[in-house]
Amino acid sequence: MRKYLKHKAYINLPMLLRVVGWLLLIEALFMAVPMTVAIINENESFMPFLVCMGITAGSGALMTLLRPRSRDMGKREAILLTGFTWVILSLFGMLPFMFYGTHMSVTDAFFETMSGFTTTGASVLPSLDNVPKSILVWRCITQWIGGLGIILFTLAVVPMLNTSGGMQMFNAEVTGITHDKLRPRISYTAKGLWGIYAILTLVLIILLSFSGMRFYDAFCYGLSTMSTGGFSTDNGGIHDLNSLYVKIVMIIFMFIGGVNFSLMYHAVTGKMKGMMKNTALKVYLWFVLVGTLVFVIDILIGGKKLTVADVTIDPLFQSVSLLSSTGITEPDFHDWGSLSVVMLIIMMLVGACAGSTSGGAKIDRFVILFKFIKNEFYKMMHPGAVTTVSINGRGTQTAVVNKALAFLFMYIIIIVAGGVLLSQMGLELSDGFFCALQAISNTGLGSDATGVNGDYSLVSDGAKWLLSFIMLTGRLEIFTILLVFTPSFWKK
């Protein structure tokens, strides 16, 4: 065994644990928000959250006391830390679900928390009627934290990581085919992105408050909408409000959540030209319009008595919700027809722009795929031609193209493998594939086994653990997680 370990590369484990400790302290601070809600609400007890805060903060404080010989972190430490962090924070984040209100099992609590942090929005709760408000707030907070990224938030608030593998951590977590620093120091980049994210969330909460919605509901929907997570505060969701104003506001901010935040940062700093020329953003906008048109056609084919909103706002809302991976569905979606179901699957698979809070394989990669295929057809007729995949008016490196194609290939493999495994765990084969797709795309819709507006309490424990792993793999874009399981990762 010792001989085997000598051939393994050194991993700076004390430094990894120390960073995780800082993250746990931050998570404990976020727990103060639902604890405050419990204090305000006389029907709830704040003690369970106080205990969870104490356990989380105590564990984090012990880890921060570690004094590593070196603060250096390379690419492997960054990759390992990224996946390790999401699991650890989910393990501590599930404590409120176990100790208070819902009293979930370990499996259900971990599934619910991982679904929150990955902004998937799938839930094991059959009903929200008797769930304490503090727990519902905590669910939405987990989505908001995970929306832009746990590691990215840490880079913004822990300055020591700026020179300690910060860029590697940034690349390991932030979604996209390429990663551009907005500022010379990675901590400034993280602060800039999180600043925009926080401001947009605040604006959304204020706008929702003007609808007559209680501030508690506006706060929760603001967090879950901006993160494109989709958790709700009651069984009927926003549709019970029957408010066009709320739907229009949410359409705007769900769409924004699907836009690359780096583009928005450049736009805020006066560099609008990059946003206007961005290929993925243009395709994203066209995809929303095409999806809306398909839904309208399918609704009209149904021939039912319709209002203006039924063929305008509702299909637009559904299109943006699906493409941004928010996953909120219209109550009568099942009546829209088979064409809508096909479009639903396509939108879940594709997702919105890279660098956003949305899930899916990302439009950017599909743009590369189709341009690559177009070039291959051209070269069949002109064998001597030299072609390149052009994105945003510039040629794309071959390595970037190859990585995008490999990602899409792995994405399909995981859906197929996940669907087969889930079918062996009690689900119908079609339901297994659908659940695997919604998990890796972080969309959170149900299948026939759970119902679009249902829950995952009917799924076996083994299936919940598998889906949790697929959700994490999808959120961290496959390579960051799967690379840890390869022998080459642990060799020098």
Side-chain angles (χ1 to χ4, degrees):
M1 183 66 179
R2 290 181 180 178
K3 184 179 180 181
Y4 176 75
L5 290 174
K6 287 182 180 179
H7 295 284
K8 295 297 178 183
Y10 169 72
I11 299 293
N12 195 348
L13 185 60
M15 184 61 189
L16 299 187
L17 292 176
R18 192 180 183 201
V19 175
V20 172
W22 283 108
L23 278 163
L24 289 176
L25 290 175
I26 294 170
E27 185 177 29
L29 286 175
F30 275 108
M31 286 183 181
V33 178
M35 187 181 74
T36 303
V37 173
I39 293 173
I40 295 173
N41 190 350
E42 297 178 354
N43 297 324
E44 298 186 31
S45 171
F46 70 92
M47 285 303 297
F49 268 102
L50 186 61
V51 171
C52 294
M53 282 182 62
I55 294 173
T56 306
S59 301
L62 289 175
M63 291 182 185
T64 57
L65 294 177
L66 293 172
R67 292 293 179 264
R69 295 179 180 178
S70 172
R71 290 187 176 184
D72 292 334
M73 290 201 306
K75 183 175 292 186
R76 283 184 302 171
E77 279 92 350
I79 292 172
L80 188 62
L81 175 63
T82 302
F84 187 56
T85 295
W86 285 72
V87 174
I88 292 296
L89 261 69
S90 294
L91 288 172
F92 281 88
M94 72 183 188
L95 295 179
F97 295 109
M98 297 174 62
F99 292 164
Y100 183 61
T102 55
H103 299 292
M104 295 180 181
S105 64
V106 172
T107 298
D108 286 351
F110 185 82
F111 179 92
E112 194 82 11
T113 310
M114 183 60 74
S115 177
F117 278 125
T118 58
T119 71
T120 303
S123 179
V124 296
L125 294 170
S127 174
L128 302 180
D129 290 338
N130 298 317
V131 178
K133 289 184 178 180
S134 55
I135 291 293
L136 296 177
V137 168
W138 177 237
R139 290 202 319 162
C140 295
I141 288 176
T142 60
Q143 288 195 327
W144 192 75
I145 297 172
L148 208 55
I150 298 169
I151 296 296
L152 190 63
F153 184 82
T154 309
L155 292 172
V157 298
V158 183
M160 72 175 181
L161 295 177
N162 194 75
T163 57
S164 182
M167 191 61 196
Q168 287 89 344
M169 293 168 65
F170 178 83
N171 291 338
E173 182 183 63
V174 175
T175 64
I177 55 176
T178 59
H179 304 98
D180 299 322
K181 289 174 63 178
L182 308 178
R183 303 283 295 276
R185 292 171 66 87
I186 192 64
S187 61
Y188 291 160
T189 297
K191 288 176 182 177
L193 294 176
W194 264 94
I196 292 174
Y197 186 55
I199 291 171
L200 286 171
T201 305
L202 180 61
V203 171
L204 174 56
I205 292 172
I206 293 172
L207 290 175
L208 289 176
S209 298
F210 289 153
S211 68
M213 186 185 292
R214 294 176 302 174
F215 179 78
Y216 156 75
D217 292 312
F219 178 76
C220 290
Y221 280 116
L223 298 182
S224 64
T225 300
M226 198 64 246
S227 64
T228 64
F231 273 151
S232 179
T233 56
D234 53 61
N235 296 324
I238 64 162
H239 304 296
D240 281 353
L241 298 173
N242 196 26
S243 171
L244 285 179
Y245 171 81
V246 171
K247 283 191 174 183
I248 292 171
V249 169
M250 290 186 68
I251 287 171
I252 294 171
F253 281 86
M254 285 190 296
F255 181 86
I256 292 174
V259 176
N260 189 321
F261 273 75
S262 296
L263 287 179
M264 286 189 279
Y265 181 89
H266 287 307
V268 169
T269 55
K271 301 176 182 178
M272 289 291 296
K273 187 178 293 186
M275 178 173 282
M276 301 300 293
K277 291 184 177 180
N278 189 267
T279 304
L281 181 58
K282 293 177 182 177
V283 176
Y284 177 36
L285 181 59
W286 276 108
F287 214 138
V288 169
L289 296 176
V290 171
T292 303
L293 180 61
V294 170
F295 289 143
V296 170
I297 293 173
D298 213 18
I299 292 170
L300 293 175
I301 290 174
K304 293 184 178 180
K305 187 177 180 181
L306 302 170
T307 64
V308 175
D310 289 335
V311 291
T312 54
I313 300 301
D314 289 355
L316 178 60
F317 180 94
Q318 192 64 81
S319 181
V320 176
S321 175
L322 291 173
L323 204 54
S324 67
S325 80
T326 309
I328 302 175
T329 54
E330 288 292 322
D332 56 350
F333 180 79
H334 273 242
D335 299 328
W336 285 9
S338 57
L339 192 61
S340 295
V341 176
V342 173
M343 182 54 68
L344 174 147
I345 294 172
I346 293 173
M347 286 182 157
M348 286 173 62
L349 178 65
V350 174
C353 301
S356 66
T357 62
S358 70
K362 303 297 186 297
I363 283 175
D364 309 59
R365 294 189 176 93
F366 281 95
V367 170
I368 288 177
L369 172 64
F370 285 110
K371 290 198 173 189
F372 175 81
I373 292 173
K374 178 184 176 182
N375 288 347
E376 290 302 304
F377 276 116
Y378 183 81
K379 286 193 289 185
M380 289 178 68
M381 298 299 297
H382 307 84
V386 177
T387 60
T388 183
V389 174
S390 178
I391 303 292
N392 304 330
R394 300 193 303 267
T396 305
Q397 295 179 357
T398 302
V400 175
V401 175
N402 291 340
K403 186 176 180 181
L405 297 179
F407 178 93
L408 292 173
F409 181 69
M410 288 297 300
Y411 204 83
I412 299 301
I413 286 179
I414 291 174
I415 293 172
V416 173
V420 171
L421 289 174
L422 288 169
S423 69
Q424 301 302 307
M425 297 177 179
L427 282 88
E428 294 291 334
L429 187 60
S430 59
D431 292 338
F433 285 130
F434 192 87
C435 286
L437 172 59
Q438 64 83 28
I440 196 170
S441 66
N442 302 134
T443 305
L445 295 178
S447 65
D448 288 337
T450 60
V452 172
N453 296 315
D455 63 88
Y456 282 75
S457 61
L458 302 177
V459 177
S460 67
D461 285 354
K464 289 171 187 172
W465 285 107
L466 176 59
L467 287 170
S468 297
F469 177 75
I470 297 175
M471 285 189 282
L472 179 61
T473 304
R475 174 59 183 83
L476 297 181
E477 302 221 307
I478 299 177
F479 295 120
T480 300
I481 291 297
L482 298 188
L483 192 60
V484 177
F485 296 95
T486 61
S488 59
F489 178 82
W490 300 97
K491 293 180 181 179
K492 290 184 179 179

